[in-house]
């Protein structure tokens, strides 16, 4: 499998990546600009762990082409899924979900939706469950089938808010119910308390290290505030600029700032890092 315990070098590298606006271009979800780096990761047996706000249902076709044998993190850290290639691993708290095993870190979706049903209208907030497939497709740029899959949630609820002045009040209500709000590239996301990409990334690093008996050098690539916890959790954080050239104002030790947006910036950063770390 991709997670190869016999790799050369003192520490085993793992790349964690956001999708929208990072590995995938914001406008059309293309990964074409990253093909060179993706091939380099495969040739060097460096595992690529997707860490995204997308659902596991959306990822089924994406993962086939980029990292079918690696764990993946969905819905902003709400759940970690381990594929059949990890079937022999010891994974505490994992439960079977079809051919996968899942570690749930987030609040159940039914609880999150009950909160949104109760207070959403009062704060001009509308989640994916309040929208039809056509509206989700329009807001995301996904085709109707992809939009349908994006509405099948397990750990979080993306939403839009009509009046930004309502956000602080909604955040206070969410906190009182054990929930938090994080901002992604297109939407706000309602998730369980103490749930974020960083918690999930640390859990994957610990699980991989324990099962393969290797120390890890971790790399993470993101572009939005919901990626900050993931960037804080790794050895080499990489920040991708937005399509308009702007870049989020975060400062972390060793932060690498890509110079191009989307998949091209992702490609540049990964190739540079592969040239500098010992493999």
């Amino acid at each position: 499998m991709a997670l190869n315990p016999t790799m050369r070098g003192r520490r085993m590298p793992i790349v964690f990546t956001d999708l929208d606006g990072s590995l995938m271009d914001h406008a059309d979800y293309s990964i074409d600009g990253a093909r060179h780096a993706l091939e380099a990761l495969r040739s060097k047996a460096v595992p690529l762990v997707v860490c995204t706000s997308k659902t596991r249902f959306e990822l089924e076709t994406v993962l086939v082409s980029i990292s079918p044998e690696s764990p993946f993190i969905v819905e902003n850290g709400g759940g970690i899924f381990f594929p059949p290639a990890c079937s022999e691993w010891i994974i505490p708290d994992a439960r079977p979900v079809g051919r996968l095993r899942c570690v749930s870190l987030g609040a159940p979706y039914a609880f999150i939706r009950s909160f949104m049903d109760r207070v959403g209208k009062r704060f001009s907030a509308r989640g994916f469950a309040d929208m039809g497939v056509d509206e989700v497709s329009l807001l995301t740029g996904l085709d109707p089938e992809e939009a349908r899959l994006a509405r099948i949630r397990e750990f979080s609820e993306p939403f839009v808010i009509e009046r930004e002045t309502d956000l602080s009040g909604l955040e206070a209500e969410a906190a009182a119910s054990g929930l938090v709000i994080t901002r992604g590239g297109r939407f706000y996301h309602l998730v369980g308390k103490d749930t974020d990409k960083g918690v999930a990334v640390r859990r994957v690093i610990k699980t991989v290290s324990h099962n393969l008996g290797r120390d890890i050098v971790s790399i993470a690539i993101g572009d939005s505030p919901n990626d900050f916890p993931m960037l804080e959790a790794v050895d080499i954080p990489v920040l991708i600029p937005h399509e308009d050239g702007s870049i989020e104002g975060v400062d972390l030790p060793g932060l690498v700032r890509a110079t191009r947006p989307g998949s091209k910036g992702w490609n540049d950063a990964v190739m540079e890092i592969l040239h500098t770390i010992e493999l």
Side-chain angles (χ1 to χ4, degrees):
M1 61 173 294
L3 301 177
N4 183 352
T6 64
M7 290 181 63
R8 299 183 306 275
R10 294 181 179 179
R11 292 196 292 169
M12 175 182 174
I14 298 180
V15 176
F16 296 87
T17 185
D18 174 52
L19 291 180
D20 297 355
S22 297
L23 175 56
M24 291 180 165
D25 294 333
H26 185 80
D28 59 6
Y29 300 100
S30 172
I31 64 172
D32 287 347
R35 293 292 182 187
H36 187 198
L38 287 170
E39 179 55 38
L41 291 176
R42 280 192 290 268
S43 68
K44 297 177 183 294
V46 176
L48 178 64
V49 176
V50 168
C51 184
T52 178
S53 61
K54 291 182 179 293
T55 69
R56 68 179 170 100
F57 307 99
E58 292 178 89
L59 291 183
E60 286 179 350
T61 56
V62 174
L63 293 173
V64 168
S65 63
I66 62 172
S67 58
E69 296 184 332
S70 298
F72 58 95
I73 299 164
V74 302
E75 298 189 45
N76 286 311
I80 306 168
F81 287 90
F82 294 85
C86 305
S87 62
E88 301 300 318
W89 288 13
I90 298 171
I91 307 173
D93 305 323
R95 59 183 173 85
V97 179
R99 297 176 65 243
L100 306 170
R101 285 190 290 169
C102 174
V103 174
S104 298
L105 301 175
Y109 181 67
F111 178 78
I112 293 171
R113 267 312 309 181
S114 68
F115 171 84
M116 186 64 78
D117 290 338
R118 188 172 71 253
V119 307
K121 288 183 179 179
R122 180 152 54 95
F123 292 99
S124 70
R126 298 174 61 243
F128 274 18
D130 302 307
M131 309 173 190
V133 169
D134 289 344
E135 185 175 2
V136 172
S137 178
L138 179 65
L139 289 175
T140 59
L142 299 170
D143 68 35
E145 174 59 16
E146 291 168 333
R148 183 186 71 81
L149 297 176
R151 294 179 73 248
I152 307 175
R153 317 297 302 185
E154 296 174 287
F155 310 104
S156 67
E157 179 75 330
F159 69 92
V160 295
I161 192 163
E162 181 180 340
R163 299 183 300 270
E164 288 290 330
T165 53
D166 284 347
L167 184 59
S168 60
L170 183 59
E171 287 176 326
E173 290 274 356
S177 295
L179 300 171
V180 295
I181 294 170
T182 184
R183 179 168 64 87
R186 286 180 169 86
F187 303 98
Y188 292 101
H189 299 264
L190 188 63
V191 299
K193 182 182 178 182
D194 300 324
T195 300
D196 60 43
K197 291 184 177 184
V199 172
V201 163
R202 290 185 180 93
R203 180 66 177 269
V204 170
I205 292 171
K206 181 178 180 180
T207 301
V208 173
S209 179
H210 174 75
N211 281 278
L212 299 185
R214 296 294 302 274
D215 291 332
I216 305 298
V217 55
S218 52
I219 302 132
I221 308 170
D223 72 310
S224 297
N226 65 332
D227 297 317
F228 294 171
M230 172 177 70
L231 300 183
E232 293 169 354
V234 299
D235 300 306
I236 306 174
V238 179
L239 189 62
I240 302 288
H242 299 302
E243 287 294 320
D244 62 3
S246 65
I247 194 163
E248 294 290 342
V250 62
D251 191 18
L252 298 169
L255 180 67
V256 175
R257 291 180 175 85
T259 57
R260 296 195 288 177
S263 61
K264 292 183 175 65
W266 195 97
N267 190 85
D268 296 342
V270 169
M271 294 306 298
E272 179 181 350
I273 291 167
L274 289 179
H275 284 132
T276 58
I277 63 176
E278 182 183 359
L279 292 178

